[in-house]
PDB file of all heavy atoms in Angstrom:
ATOM      1  N   LEU B 121    -116.054  16.667  15.059  1.00 98.00           N
ATOM      2  CA  LEU B 121    -116.954  16.689  16.192  1.00 98.00           C
ATOM      3  C   LEU B 121    -117.956  17.750  16.058  1.00 98.00           C
ATOM      4  O   LEU B 121    -117.699  18.783  15.377  1.00 98.00           O
ATOM      5  CB  LEU B 121    -116.252  16.934  17.490  1.00 98.00           C
ATOM      6  CG  LEU B 121    -115.453  15.849  18.107  1.00 98.00           C
ATOM      7  CD1 LEU B 121    -114.679  16.323  19.322  1.00 98.00           C
ATOM      8  CD2 LEU B 121    -116.291  14.671  18.631  1.00 98.00           C
ATOM      9  N   ARG B 122    -119.108  17.548  16.643  1.00 98.00           N
ATOM     10  CA  ARG B 122    -120.137  18.694  16.643  1.00 98.00           C
ATOM     11  C   ARG B 122    -120.519  19.018  18.074  1.00 98.00           C
ATOM     12  O   ARG B 122    -120.989  18.093  18.801  1.00 98.00           O
ATOM     13  CB  ARG B 122    -121.392  18.169  15.860  1.00 98.00           C
ATOM     14  CG  ARG B 122    -122.420  19.330  15.626  1.00 98.00           C
ATOM     15  CD  ARG B 122    -123.692  18.764  15.141  1.00 98.00           C
ATOM     16  NE  ARG B 122    -124.582  19.745  14.535  1.00 98.00           N
ATOM     17  CZ  ARG B 122    -125.936  19.630  14.428  1.00 98.00           C
ATOM     18  NH1 ARG B 122    -126.503  18.625  14.937  1.00 98.00           N
ATOM     19  NH2 ARG B 122    -126.626  20.650  13.955  1.00 98.00           N
ATOM     20  N   LEU B 123    -120.420  20.217  18.494  1.00 98.00           N
ATOM     21  CA  LEU B 123    -120.732  20.763  19.766  1.00 98.00           C
ATOM     22  C   LEU B 123    -122.149  21.351  19.712  1.00 98.00           C
ATOM     23  O   LEU B 123    -122.463  21.949  18.730  1.00 98.00           O
ATOM     24  CB  LEU B 123    -119.751  21.720  20.255  1.00 98.00           C
ATOM     25  CG  LEU B 123    -118.252  21.273  20.349  1.00 98.00           C
ATOM     26  CD1 LEU B 123    -117.421  22.395  20.982  1.00 98.00           C
ATOM     27  CD2 LEU B 123    -118.149  19.988  21.077  1.00 98.00           C
ATOM     28  N   SER B 124    -122.894  21.176  20.829  1.00 98.00           N
ATOM     29  CA  SER B 124    -124.236  21.804  20.881  1.00 98.00           C
ATOM     30  C   SER B 124    -124.236  22.640  22.192  1.00 98.00           C
ATOM     31  O   SER B 124    -123.615  22.208  23.183  1.00 98.00           O
ATOM     32  CB  SER B 124    -125.273  20.775  20.838  1.00 98.00           C
ATOM     33  OG  SER B 124    -125.223  20.045  19.634  1.00 98.00           O
ATOM     34  N   CYS B 125    -125.072  23.639  22.123  1.00 97.00           N
ATOM     35  CA  CYS B 125    -125.281  24.406  23.367  1.00 97.00           C
ATOM     36  C   CYS B 125    -126.713  25.002  23.304  1.00 97.00           C
ATOM     37  O   CYS B 125    -127.108  25.639  22.477  1.00 97.00           O
ATOM     38  CB  CYS B 125    -124.269  25.570  23.550  1.00 97.00           C
ATOM     39  SG  CYS B 125    -124.710  26.694  24.811  1.00 97.00           S
ATOM     40  N   ALA B 126    -127.481  24.516  24.312  1.00 95.00           N
ATOM     41  CA  ALA B 126    -128.890  24.865  24.387  1.00 95.00           C
ATOM     42  C   ALA B 126    -129.194  25.790  25.519  1.00 95.00           C
ATOM     43  O   ALA B 126    -128.774  25.419  26.752  1.00 95.00           O
ATOM     44  CB  ALA B 126    -129.789  23.593  24.464  1.00 95.00           C
ATOM     45  N   ALA B 127    -129.840  26.902  25.292  1.00 94.00           N
ATOM     46  CA  ALA B 127    -130.253  27.734  26.373  1.00 94.00           C
ATOM     47  C   ALA B 127    -131.662  27.456  26.808  1.00 94.00           C
ATOM     48  O   ALA B 127    -132.550  27.177  25.966  1.00 94.00           O
ATOM     49  CB  ALA B 127    -130.248  29.225  25.951  1.00 94.00           C
ATOM     50  N   SER B 128    -131.846  27.445  28.082  1.00 90.00           N
ATOM     51  CA  SER B 128    -133.256  27.214  28.588  1.00 90.00           C
ATOM     52  C   SER B 128    -133.631  28.213  29.647  1.00 90.00           C
ATOM     53  O   SER B 128    -132.842  28.968  30.162  1.00 90.00           O
ATOM     54  CB  SER B 128    -133.254  25.817  29.227  1.00 90.00           C
ATOM     55  OG  SER B 128    -132.408  25.728  30.242  1.00 90.00           O
ATOM     56  N   GLY B 129    -134.856  28.397  29.945  1.00 89.00           N
ATOM     57  CA  GLY B 129    -135.421  29.258  30.836  1.00 89.00           C
ATOM     58  C   GLY B 129    -136.258  30.337  30.105  1.00 89.00           C
ATOM     59  O   GLY B 129    -136.629  30.200  28.970  1.00 89.00           O
ATOM     60  N   SER B 130    -136.299  31.449  30.706  1.00 83.00           N
ATOM     61  CA  SER B 130    -137.125  32.612  30.156  1.00 83.00           C
ATOM     62  C   SER B 130    -136.327  33.368  29.123  1.00 83.00           C
ATOM     63  O   SER B 130    -135.959  34.494  29.314  1.00 83.00           O
ATOM     64  CB  SER B 130    -137.653  33.540  31.311  1.00 83.00           C
ATOM     65  OG  SER B 130    -138.405  32.824  32.210  1.00 83.00           O
ATOM     66  N   ILE B 131    -136.088  32.741  27.977  1.00 82.00           N
ATOM     67  CA  ILE B 131    -135.331  33.275  26.894  1.00 82.00           C
ATOM     68  C   ILE B 131    -136.385  33.695  25.747  1.00 82.00           C
ATOM     69  O   ILE B 131    -137.109  32.892  25.324  1.00 82.00           O
ATOM     70  CB  ILE B 131    -134.318  32.334  26.286  1.00 82.00           C
ATOM     71  CG1 ILE B 131    -133.382  31.826  27.297  1.00 82.00           C
ATOM     72  CG2 ILE B 131    -133.679  32.945  25.063  1.00 82.00           C
ATOM     73  CD1 ILE B 131    -132.449  32.882  27.831  1.00 82.00           C
ATOM     74  N   PHE B 132    -136.374  34.908  25.453  1.00 79.00           N
ATOM     75  CA  PHE B 132    -137.333  35.421  24.499  1.00 79.00           C
ATOM     76  C   PHE B 132    -136.734  35.788  23.110  1.00 79.00           C
ATOM     77  O   PHE B 132    -137.331  35.688  22.128  1.00 79.00           O
ATOM     78  CB  PHE B 132    -138.100  36.664  25.027  1.00 79.00           C
ATOM     79  CG  PHE B 132    -138.871  36.303  26.282  1.00 79.00           C
ATOM     80  CD1 PHE B 132    -138.459  36.681  27.498  1.00 79.00           C
ATOM     81  CD2 PHE B 132    -140.112  35.570  26.204  1.00 79.00           C
ATOM     82  CE1 PHE B 132    -139.189  36.446  28.627  1.00 79.00           C
ATOM     83  CE2 PHE B 132    -140.807  35.279  27.229  1.00 79.00           C
ATOM     84  CZ  PHE B 132    -140.347  35.762  28.553  1.00 79.00           C
ATOM     85  N   SER B 133    -135.468  36.208  23.158  1.00 86.00           N
ATOM     86  CA  SER B 133    -134.811  36.534  21.922  1.00 86.00           C
ATOM     87  C   SER B 133    -133.306  36.347  22.140  1.00 86.00           C
ATOM     88  O   SER B 133    -132.794  36.669  23.096  1.00 86.00           O
ATOM     89  CB  SER B 133    -135.144  37.967  21.410  1.00 86.00           C
ATOM     90  OG  SER B 133    -134.703  38.916  22.309  1.00 86.00           O
ATOM     91  N   ILE B 134    -132.615  35.927  21.117  1.00 89.00           N
ATOM     92  CA  ILE B 134    -131.151  35.729  21.155  1.00 89.00           C
ATOM     93  C   ILE B 134    -130.540  36.763  20.254  1.00 89.00           C
ATOM     94  O   ILE B 134    -130.889  36.893  19.013  1.00 89.00           O
ATOM     95  CB  ILE B 134    -130.793  34.386  20.735  1.00 89.00           C
ATOM     96  CG1 ILE B 134    -131.271  33.336  21.861  1.00 89.00           C
ATOM     97  CG2 ILE B 134    -129.232  34.295  20.623  1.00 89.00           C
ATOM     98  CD1 ILE B 134    -130.966  31.900  21.639  1.00 89.00           C
ATOM     99  N   ASN B 135    -129.566  37.496  20.741  1.00 92.00           N
ATOM    100  CA  ASN B 135    -128.884  38.479  19.958  1.00 92.00           C
ATOM    101  C   ASN B 135    -127.653  38.052  19.301  1.00 92.00           C
ATOM    102  O   ASN B 135    -127.298  38.351  18.098  1.00 92.00           O
ATOM    103  CB  ASN B 135    -128.527  39.793  20.830  1.00 92.00           C
ATOM    104  CG  ASN B 135    -129.689  40.286  21.571  1.00 92.00           C
ATOM    105  OD1 ASN B 135    -129.795  40.173  22.751  1.00 92.00           O
ATOM    106  ND2 ASN B 135    -130.694  40.807  20.702  1.00 92.00           N
ATOM    107  N   ALA B 136    -126.930  37.176  19.983  1.00 94.00           N
ATOM    108  CA  ALA B 136    -125.687  36.585  19.467  1.00 94.00           C
ATOM    109  C   ALA B 136    -125.292  35.280  20.046  1.00 94.00           C
ATOM    110  O   ALA B 136    -125.664  35.129  21.406  1.00 94.00           O
ATOM    111  CB  ALA B 136    -124.590  37.598  19.605  1.00 94.00           C
ATOM    112  N   MET B 137    -124.565  34.465  19.469  1.00 95.00           N
ATOM    113  CA  MET B 137    -124.126  33.225  20.018  1.00 95.00           C
ATOM    114  C   MET B 137    -122.669  33.026  19.571  1.00 95.00           C
ATOM    115  O   MET B 137    -122.300  33.265  18.426  1.00 95.00           O
ATOM    116  CB  MET B 137    -124.951  32.015  19.417  1.00 95.00           C
ATOM    117  CG  MET B 137    -126.433  32.099  19.862  1.00 95.00           C
ATOM    118  SD  MET B 137    -127.472  30.702  19.253  1.00 95.00           S
ATOM    119  CE  MET B 137    -127.764  31.258  17.575  1.00 95.00           C
ATOM    120  N   LYS B 138    -121.897  32.577  20.463  1.00 97.00           N
ATOM    121  CA  LYS B 138    -120.434  32.456  20.214  1.00 97.00           C
ATOM    122  C   LYS B 138    -119.812  31.106  20.876  1.00 97.00           C
ATOM    123  O   LYS B 138    -120.477  30.634  21.830  1.00 97.00           O
ATOM    124  CB  LYS B 138    -119.670  33.604  20.797  1.00 97.00           C
ATOM    125  CG  LYS B 138    -120.166  35.049  20.290  1.00 97.00           C
ATOM    126  CD  LYS B 138    -119.493  36.135  21.074  1.00 97.00           C
ATOM    127  CE  LYS B 138    -120.114  37.426  20.688  1.00 97.00           C
ATOM    128  NZ  LYS B 138    -119.611  38.597  21.518  1.00 97.00           N
ATOM    129  N   TRP B 139    -118.789  30.788  20.402  1.00 98.00           N
ATOM    130  CA  TRP B 139    -117.983  29.606  20.962  1.00 98.00           C
ATOM    131  C   TRP B 139    -116.647  30.240  21.271  1.00 98.00           C
ATOM    132  O   TRP B 139    -115.999  30.848  20.400  1.00 98.00           O
ATOM    133  CB  TRP B 139    -117.873  28.490  20.020  1.00 98.00           C
ATOM    134  CG  TRP B 139    -119.195  27.719  19.848  1.00 98.00           C
ATOM    135  CD1 TRP B 139    -120.062  27.854  18.918  1.00 98.00           C
ATOM    136  CD2 TRP B 139    -119.565  26.634  20.800  1.00 98.00           C
ATOM    137  NE1 TRP B 139    -121.124  26.848  19.231  1.00 98.00           N
ATOM    138  CE2 TRP B 139    -120.843  26.178  20.366  1.00 98.00           C
ATOM    139  CE3 TRP B 139    -119.062  26.048  21.949  1.00 98.00           C
ATOM    140  CZ2 TRP B 139    -121.496  25.235  20.917  1.00 98.00           C
ATOM    141  CZ3 TRP B 139    -119.723  25.060  22.505  1.00 98.00           C
ATOM    142  CH2 TRP B 139    -120.980  24.590  22.063  1.00 98.00           C
ATOM    143  N   TYR B 140    -116.171  29.867  22.440  1.00 98.00           N
ATOM    144  CA  TYR B 140    -114.827  30.315  22.924  1.00 98.00           C
ATOM    145  C   TYR B 140    -114.107  28.930  23.226  1.00 98.00           C
ATOM    146  O   TYR B 140    -114.716  27.809  23.460  1.00 98.00           O
ATOM    147  CB  TYR B 140    -114.810  31.193  24.136  1.00 98.00           C
ATOM    148  CG  TYR B 140    -115.288  32.578  23.983  1.00 98.00           C
ATOM    149  CD1 TYR B 140    -116.647  32.830  23.897  1.00 98.00           C
ATOM    150  CD2 TYR B 140    -114.365  33.617  23.853  1.00 98.00           C
ATOM    151  CE1 TYR B 140    -117.074  34.210  23.666  1.00 98.00           C
ATOM    152  CE2 TYR B 140    -114.785  34.947  23.671  1.00 98.00           C
ATOM    153  CZ  TYR B 140    -116.111  35.184  23.569  1.00 98.00           C
ATOM    154  OH  TYR B 140    -116.526  36.500  23.477  1.00 98.00           O
ATOM    155  N   ARG B 141    -112.737  29.027  23.361  1.00 98.00           N
ATOM    156  CA  ARG B 141    -112.061  27.874  23.782  1.00 98.00           C
ATOM    157  C   ARG B 141    -110.908  28.348  24.693  1.00 98.00           C
ATOM    158  O   ARG B 141    -110.350  29.394  24.495  1.00 98.00           O
ATOM    159  CB  ARG B 141    -111.542  26.979  22.710  1.00 98.00           C
ATOM    160  CG  ARG B 141    -110.535  27.612  21.853  1.00 98.00           C
ATOM    161  CD  ARG B 141    -110.180  26.729  20.587  1.00 98.00           C
ATOM    162  NE  ARG B 141    -109.128  27.260  19.686  1.00 98.00           N
ATOM    163  CZ  ARG B 141    -108.854  26.770  18.571  1.00 98.00           C
ATOM    164  NH1 ARG B 141    -109.419  25.614  18.124  1.00 98.00           N
ATOM    165  NH2 ARG B 141    -107.913  27.361  17.830  1.00 98.00           N
ATOM    166  N   GLN B 142    -110.408  27.389  25.553  1.00 98.00           N
ATOM    167  CA  GLN B 142    -109.245  27.741  26.451  1.00 98.00           C
ATOM    168  C   GLN B 142    -108.451  26.457  26.470  1.00 98.00           C
ATOM    169  O   GLN B 142    -108.788  25.514  27.004  1.00 98.00           O
ATOM    170  CB  GLN B 142    -109.718  28.169  27.742  1.00 98.00           C
ATOM    171  CG  GLN B 142    -108.597  28.704  28.688  1.00 98.00           C
ATOM    172  CD  GLN B 142    -109.070  29.466  29.872  1.00 98.00           C
ATOM    173  OE1 GLN B 142    -110.228  29.362  30.305  1.00 98.00           O
ATOM    174  NE2 GLN B 142    -108.136  30.299  30.487  1.00 98.00           N
ATOM    175  N   ALA B 143    -107.237  26.622  26.050  1.00 96.00           N
ATOM    176  CA  ALA B 143    -106.259  25.510  26.060  1.00 96.00           C
ATOM    177  C   ALA B 143    -105.475  25.710  27.425  1.00 96.00           C
ATOM    178  O   ALA B 143    -105.349  26.783  27.916  1.00 96.00           O
ATOM    179  CB  ALA B 143    -105.381  25.536  24.909  1.00 96.00           C
ATOM    180  N   PRO B 144    -104.902  24.597  27.871  1.00 92.00           N
ATOM    181  CA  PRO B 144    -104.038  24.729  29.070  1.00 92.00           C
ATOM    182  C   PRO B 144    -102.977  25.802  29.016  1.00 92.00           C
ATOM    183  O   PRO B 144    -102.232  25.787  28.088  1.00 92.00           O
ATOM    184  CB  PRO B 144    -103.455  23.347  29.333  1.00 92.00           C
ATOM    185  CG  PRO B 144    -104.454  22.463  28.577  1.00 92.00           C
ATOM    186  CD  PRO B 144    -104.975  23.234  27.364  1.00 92.00           C
ATOM    187  N   GLY B 145    -102.886  26.621  30.023  1.00 95.00           N
ATOM    188  CA  GLY B 145    -101.881  27.634  30.038  1.00 95.00           C
ATOM    189  C   GLY B 145    -102.120  28.852  29.099  1.00 95.00           C
ATOM    190  O   GLY B 145    -101.269  29.690  28.998  1.00 95.00           O
ATOM    191  N   LYS B 146    -103.276  28.838  28.430  1.00 96.00           N
ATOM    192  CA  LYS B 146    -103.476  29.924  27.490  1.00 96.00           C
ATOM    193  C   LYS B 146    -104.790  30.636  27.870  1.00 96.00           C
ATOM    194  O   LYS B 146    -105.587  30.145  28.609  1.00 96.00           O
ATOM    195  CB  LYS B 146    -103.687  29.422  26.028  1.00 96.00           C
ATOM    196  CG  LYS B 146    -102.428  28.759  25.532  1.00 96.00           C
ATOM    197  CD  LYS B 146    -102.561  28.370  24.063  1.00 96.00           C
ATOM    198  CE  LYS B 146    -101.210  27.833  23.484  1.00 96.00           C
ATOM    199  NZ  LYS B 146    -101.393  27.533  22.066  1.00 96.00           N
ATOM    200  N   GLN B 147    -104.939  31.853  27.308  1.00 97.00           N
ATOM    201  CA  GLN B 147    -106.218  32.604  27.604  1.00 97.00           C
ATOM    202  C   GLN B 147    -107.293  32.093  26.790  1.00 97.00           C
ATOM    203  O   GLN B 147    -107.116  31.583  25.665  1.00 97.00           O
ATOM    204  CB  GLN B 147    -105.898  34.056  27.240  1.00 97.00           C
ATOM    205  CG  GLN B 147    -104.967  34.823  28.209  1.00 97.00           C
ATOM    206  CD  GLN B 147    -104.904  36.320  27.886  1.00 97.00           C
ATOM    207  OE1 GLN B 147    -105.097  36.789  26.769  1.00 97.00           O
ATOM    208  NE2 GLN B 147    -104.620  37.123  28.951  1.00 97.00           N
ATOM    209  N   ARG B 148    -108.502  32.405  27.239  1.00 97.00           N
ATOM    210  CA  ARG B 148    -109.668  32.042  26.514  1.00 97.00           C
ATOM    211  C   ARG B 148    -109.788  32.870  25.199  1.00 97.00           C
ATOM    212  O   ARG B 148    -109.514  34.093  25.222  1.00 97.00           O
ATOM    213  CB  ARG B 148    -110.915  32.246  27.379  1.00 97.00           C
ATOM    214  CG  ARG B 148    -112.210  31.707  26.702  1.00 97.00           C
ATOM    215  CD  ARG B 148    -113.435  31.846  27.679  1.00 97.00           C
ATOM    216  NE  ARG B 148    -113.203  31.032  28.916  1.00 97.00           N
ATOM    217  CZ  ARG B 148    -114.090  30.785  29.831  1.00 97.00           C
ATOM    218  NH1 ARG B 148    -115.333  31.341  29.728  1.00 97.00           N
ATOM    219  NH2 ARG B 148    -113.811  30.092  30.910  1.00 97.00           N
TER     220      ARG B 148
END
């Protein structure tokens, strides 16, 4: 699978991008 995440609005520079996940009953 391929996930995408697009930021919109007054974004001028991006410092870092991350992906997290949270399974049922577990911490992110």
Side-chain angles (χ1 to χ4, degrees):
L121 283 173
R122 188 192 195 205
L123 306 183
S124 300
C125 175
S128 61
S130 300
I131 302 294
F132 297 104
S133 64
I134 292 179
N135 305 113
M137 297 181 281
K138 303 171 187 175
W139 286 96
Y140 289 80
R141 67 185 180 187
Q142 187 166 19
K146 295 187 177 181
Q147 289 188 332
R148 189 173 297 190

